Amino acid sequence: MEDIEAIAALQDPVRRRLYEYVAAQGREVGRNEAAEAVGVARTLAAHHLDRLAEAGLLESGSRRLTGRSGPGAGRPAKVYTRARAERSVSLPARDYRTAAELLAEAAEEAGLDAGLRAAARRRGEALRGPAAPCGDLEEAMRALTARGYEPHLEEGEEEDAEDPGGKAGADGPVVRMRNCPFHAVAERFPPLVCGMNLALLEGLLGADGPVRARMDARPGECCVVVESSKSNER
């Protein structure tokens, strides 16, 4: 019943907009910012943000938003981020997570990584259907959004100063994803599930098209990023 009550907290339209805004930022959000973003008074935003925290959908803390410290820096402000815990409701009760973990464990023990990646790539291609490979990052972001990955565009990194000629990352914009739809199983079986995820996205986006998926794990985000297939060419 706890998950039902948490999800029910999103029934209020203002509360849902606040939750969606905080979740989309990928960082701490203060009350003033959240209130301005959804167009409500700060006191109303504070009430709903605290309700979301009580329901376990947001996590709250406090820090100074001015960037200053010491006398005159002001009091710490309350800030919110999306909670890491997952919430789901199934009526009647189902337990697909346990089934997924058992299958992943068996696949890992049997060394079926290659077979799983091949199946994932075929599934991605089936999801894309007769459509051509994604033509650019904007189109890729639409496809990723539809699959629940919560993509956001990020500028590429510059050349690595400690390795002239080398790269600290991509030299063009990349699409990173704040959500991994397979997060719970990926935490237990990262090489197996992350490899599956990469293959799935290669099939979905088109492995030989203008964009490509590659591994680039970052804490709290999906292990795969998407970039222009020419972004790392010299």
Side-chain angles (χ1 to χ4, degrees):
M1 296 300 292
E2 182 179 340
D3 281 2
I4 293 177
E5 292 169 358
I7 293 172
L10 296 172
Q11 183 175 1
D12 183 282
V14 174
R15 198 173 300 155
R16 173 178 266 182
R17 293 204 309 272
L18 286 165
Y19 173 79
E20 290 173 345
Y21 178 78
V22 173
Q25 303 316 301
R27 57 174 172 79
E28 294 176 330
V29 174
R31 289 171 168 177
N32 288 339
E33 177 187 346
E36 184 176 350
V38 304
V40 299
R42 182 185 182 281
T43 52
L44 181 60
H47 166 73
H48 285 305
L49 290 166
D50 284 340
R51 287 289 303 274
L52 289 166
E54 291 169 4
L57 296 171
L58 297 181
E59 294 177 357
S60 63
S62 62
R63 68 176 177 87
R64 289 188 173 89
L65 300 178
T66 61
R68 303 193 307 270
S69 60
R75 296 174 57 189
K78 200 162 187 179
V79 292
Y80 303 84
T81 56
R82 179 167 60 180
R84 297 277 293 170
E86 297 179 12
R87 302 288 184 175
S88 63
V89 175
S90 175
L91 297 174
R94 296 290 187 262
D95 189 5
Y96 300 113
R97 175 174 171 175
T98 296
E101 290 179 347
L102 288 170
L103 290 169
E105 183 177 352
E108 190 172 74
E109 291 179 353
L112 300 179
D113 305 56
L116 178 60
R117 289 195 298 270
R121 191 171 289 107
R122 290 194 299 270
R123 174 57 63 91
E125 292 169 351
L127 291 171
R128 177 160 50 90
C134 290
D136 53 31
L137 293 182
E138 184 176 343
E139 188 177 345
M141 288 181 70
R142 289 196 294 270
L144 293 167
T145 298
R147 303 301 306 172
Y149 283 91
E150 299 183 6
H152 63 102
L153 196 64
E154 187 174 283
E155 291 302 320
E157 298 178 8
E158 301 296 334
E159 289 191 353
D160 191 339
E162 297 181 0
D163 179 19
K167 282 187 169 48
D171 58 1
V174 297
V175 175
R176 292 190 176 273
M177 293 163 268
R178 293 196 173 99
N179 182 50
C180 172
F182 317 110
H183 172 73
V185 187
E187 279 197 321
R188 287 197 58 190
F189 308 95
L192 181 78
V193 178
C194 290
M196 177 199 76
N197 187 27
L198 175 61
L200 178 72
L201 292 181
E202 287 174 342
L204 178 67
L205 304 176
D208 300 321
V211 300
R212 69 168 188 169
R214 64 175 174 86
M215 296 289 253
D216 189 8
R218 177 188 286 183
E221 294 190 346
C222 178
C223 59
V224 178
V225 299
V226 176
E227 64 187 3
S228 167
S229 58
K230 297 181 179 180
S231 64
N232 275 341
E233 292 182 3
R234 289 283 186 178

